[in-house]
Amino acid sequence: MKLLVLGGTKNLGRHVVEVALADGHQVTLFNRRLTNPGLFPSVEKLVGKRSDPVALATGEWDAVIDMSGFLVHDLRRSIEVLSGRVGHYTFMSTIGVYASRTTPGMTEDAALQPWPSGAVEDEFSMDIYEVSKAKAEGLLAVAFGERMSAVRSGFVVGPYNPDFGNWGEALATGKALECAARPEQPIQYLDARDLAAFLVRLSVDGRGGAFNAVSESTTMSALAEAWRSVVPGSLPVDWDPSEDRFHLTHDGLFQLDNRKALAAGLVVRPAEESARACVEWIRAGNTPPPPPH
């Protein structure tokens, strides 16, 4: 099928394009061509800004996978330009859209964060990143109905991605894993390759709705031990580092119900596989990007 990917040249987006191409789909990329412009030389590339998507004024696609929708203003422009010319709209969202931070077992029907009074739709800030995603979901649902899916994910691990990259670097270089979160802190994550495959699958299947694309809930200590197991003789975890890379304070956001996503085809590989891939990628000379926060 014909897939339009908004973004697609860094972090998770790279995996999405790789999966789509491996599955035999015809891919078109739309981005500013500022990050890794030489990637995917055989793919059609449309260059432009989300705020002024002139390059998207023509053409039709069976589905669009939106990896770069951050500003509400830009999502309004995407709706305006693409309505009637794409079959399905898959939106990369975040578990941060949920209003509650303490409720365990939340399904996709749980209340979302409201748009704050006085917030600006066309200025990006991490302070309104989560509420912007929530509002964008609502706008897209109105515009596309059942032809829209919102994929809510949290930590995304593996090659090209920043999350837990410091753990990969530590294991690859013989240093101790650092974690400022308490050992019993709940955590959910997903391998970037599994998330990318799920995004493509939803787009191909045309399945609508919201999905908690996360692993089963575990603890930071259990996850750390899974990572340490891939490098025999690795040092014990440092639970009191000078830097907090995780900023984990909301237990409810990492005890989400993922049954709907699993039923829709989400596959979650073992944590050890993700850790091993990350370590091998770093040992091959790569460096994880810095965290966005």
Side-chain angles (χ1 to χ4, degrees), residues 190-207:
L190 200 62
D191 190 291
R193 294 165 293 178
D194 295 335
L195 181 52
F198 186 58
L199 287 159
V200 173
R201 178 163 185 170
L202 289 177
S203 304
V204 172
D205 292 348
R207 191 184 294 264

Side-chain angles (χ1 to χ4, degrees), residues 1-9 13 16-17 20-21 24-31 39-40 42-48 55-67 82 85-86:
M1 66 189 303
K2 294 179 64 177
L3 290 177
L4 170 65
V5 178
L6 307 182
T9 57
V16 168
V17 177
L21 292 176
H25 300 298
Q26 180 180 337
V27 178
T28 299
L29 296 182
F30 173 78
N31 54 51
L39 279 179
F40 312 118
S42 64
V43 168
E44 179 185 20
K45 298 179 176 68
L46 303 177
V47 183
L56 293 178
T58 60
E60 294 185 358
W61 295 272
D62 298 307
V64 54
I65 303 178
D66 190 346
M67 304 301 301
L82 295 174
R85 295 193 294 111
V86 296

Side-chain angles (χ1 to χ4, degrees), residues 153-280:
S153 189
F155 287 105
V156 180
V157 304
Y160 310 149
N161 287 270
D163 296 337
F164 295 91
N166 61 320
W167 282 12
E169 288 181 310
L171 290 171
T173 57
K175 299 177 183 177
L177 274 63
E178 295 184 347
C179 184
R182 65 189 192 279
E184 69 275 14
Q185 163 75 46
I187 186 68
Q188 288 172 300
Y189 60 93
L190 200 62
D191 190 291
R193 294 165 293 178
D194 295 335
L195 181 52
F198 186 58
L199 287 159
V200 173
R201 178 163 185 170
L202 289 177
S203 304
V204 172
D205 292 348
R207 191 184 294 264
F211 298 88
N212 291 331
V214 294
S215 68
E216 298 295 328
S217 184
T218 185
T219 63
M220 289 300 294
S221 60
L223 185 61
E225 289 309 306
W227 277 63
R228 290 182 63 243
S229 71
V230 305
V231 178
S234 56
L235 297 174
V237 179
D238 178 1
W239 294 102
D240 189 26
S242 58
E243 180 184 6
D244 184 354
R245 285 283 298 264
F246 294 98
H247 308 290
L248 297 179
T249 57
H250 308 307
D251 286 12
L253 283 184
F254 300 103
Q255 298 179 77
L256 297 175
D257 187 325
N258 69 350
R259 288 177 295 178
K260 183 180 177 183
L262 293 175
L266 175 67
V267 175
V268 182
R269 72 188 66 203
E272 291 84 355
E273 288 189 18
S274 301
R276 187 173 295 107
C278 185
V279 171
E280 291 175 352

